[in-house]
Amino acid sequence: MEKKTVALMGCGALGSILAEGVQRRLGDAYTLAGVLCSTPARSRAAGDRFSCKGYQSLEELLAERPDYVAEAATGEAVRACGSAILRGGSDLILLSAGALADETLRGDLEAAARAGGAHLWIASGAIGGFDLMRTMALMGPTDICVDSVKAPASLEGAPFLKGRRLGDAPCRIFDGTVEEAIAGFPKNVNVAVAAALAAAGVEQARARIDSQPGLTENIHRIALHNTSVSASLEIASRPDPENPRSSSLAAWSVLALLRELASPLRFF
C-alpha cells in the first residue's frame, strides 16, 4: 500500500508530538512530508530536527499536495491558511477548533473543502465522545454544557481577564455561551467549541470555566441531554509541560485519527 503524506502546520509542543508520532508510530502508513511554522527560520529548524522539509511558505506546502495537513498552530493560522489548503485538495485536520466558532469562517472552510474535494476533520483534542454527541444531535435538539477546570497558570493572559491576576482561592471566572467563551479564552476552550459543533452549535451550548489553584490536571466535564438520552463525560489530563494551556492528549488524538483513517477496521 502506498504511503499517505502528512504535512504539519505548527511545530511547538503539540506539533513536535505529532511529528514524532507520524514517524515512529505511523510510519508504515504515512510519511512526514514537511513542516510549516510561523517563520522560515523555525520551519528550517523543524525540518532539520525531523529530517523533513521545512516549508518556507504556504505556497511551497501547497505545491506538494500532501494528503493531510495537520494543524497544531493557532486559530489565526487556520484563518490565514485553511481555505487554501482545502481548495488545494488536501484534507485539513484541526486542533484549533475554536476558530470554527466564527460562522463565516466555518462556511468558507466548508465551501473550500467541497471545491477541492477535500475533508475538514475536527480532532477530538483533549476530550472524546464525538460519536455520542453526533448521534444525540441526530436524534433531536440536544442541550450541552462544557465545564473546564484549570490551574490559574493555564488561564492567565486570556483576553477575558483583561490582565487580572487570578487569586489563591478556587473561583468560577466564566459562565456563558461557548461563542463568548472562545472569544475570551481563545487558547483554553477549543474543546468546548468542538463539542458544541458536534452536539448543538456554538450559539446554544454553554461553557463554564473554573480556576483551581494547585490543580495538576486540566479537567473537562461535558453534560448532554435530549428527550431520550442523558450523558456525562469527564476527562482529566495533565497539561503539556511546554504549553500549560494545552494537553498532550490533543496531539495524540490527531495521531489516533490518522491511524483510524489508515485502518480497514474503524471505530465511530
Side-chain angles (χ1 to χ4, degrees):
M1 182 180 69
E2 185 178 354
K3 292 184 180 181
K4 300 286 188 179
T5 54
V6 179
L8 301 183
M9 190 161 60
C11 201
L14 300 187
S16 295
I17 294 173
L18 281 174
E20 291 176 359
V22 169
Q23 292 180 323
R24 296 182 183 180
R25 297 191 179 243
L26 303 179
D28 58 336
Y30 296 98
T31 297
L32 181 63
V35 180
L36 177 65
C37 299
S38 57
T39 67
R42 289 181 178 177
S43 293
R44 282 192 294 271
D48 291 343
R49 178 182 174 189
F50 295 108
S51 301
C52 64
K53 289 189 177 181
Y55 298 121
Q56 298 300 287
S57 66
L58 174 62
E59 290 71 25
E60 185 180 354
L61 182 157
L62 293 175
E64 291 216 327
R65 294 180 61 88
D67 294 296
Y68 299 97
V69 177
E71 175 273 322
T74 62
E76 288 74 19
V78 176
R79 294 182 185 91
C81 304
S83 290
I85 290 169
L86 291 163
R87 287 187 185 279
S90 298
D91 280 16
L92 178 59
I93 303 174
L94 291 187
L95 276 178
S96 300
L100 301 184
D102 181 337
E103 185 176 359
T104 299
L105 174 64
R106 191 166 71 247
D108 289 345
L109 292 175
E110 290 177 358
R114 292 189 185 96
H119 294 89
L120 177 62
W121 300 90
I122 303 176
S124 56
I127 55 171
F130 280 4
D131 54 345
L132 174 65
M133 297 175 200
R134 298 293 285 169
T135 301
M136 291 181 66
L138 187 62
M139 295 168 69
T142 298
D143 296 326
I144 179 170
C145 182
V146 182
D147 288 293
S148 297
V149 186
K150 298 192 174 191
S154 296
L155 296 165
E156 287 177 343
F160 180 85
L161 297 175
K162 298 179 180 179
R164 175 168 62 94
R165 301 283 295 180
L166 297 172
D168 296 330
C171 64
R172 173 152 294 166
I173 58 176
F174 178 85
D175 187 343
T177 67
V178 166
E179 193 172 29
E180 294 166 337
I182 193 63
F185 298 86
K187 297 182 179 180
N188 297 103
V189 292
N190 282 295
V191 295
V193 174
L197 288 172
V202 293
E203 298 83 6
Q204 291 78 33
R206 296 199 64 78
R208 298 182 296 205
I209 302 172
D210 291 347
S211 171
Q212 186 170 321
L215 192 68
T216 59
E217 299 171 316
N218 292 330
I219 299 173
H220 300 289
R221 300 186 182 100
I222 305 169
L224 303 114
H225 174 78
N226 64 23
T227 56
S228 300
V229 181
S230 293
S232 60
L233 303 169
E234 179 172 325
I235 303 95
S237 58
R238 290 186 178 276
D240 188 276
E242 296 181 30
N243 182 4
R245 291 177 176 82
S246 297
S247 165
S248 59
L249 178 62
W252 284 102
S253 77
V254 175
L255 295 172
L257 172 58
L258 287 169
R259 183 180 66 175
E260 197 81 357
L261 291 171
S263 173
L265 175 63
R266 301 185 181 184
F267 295 87
F268 173 75

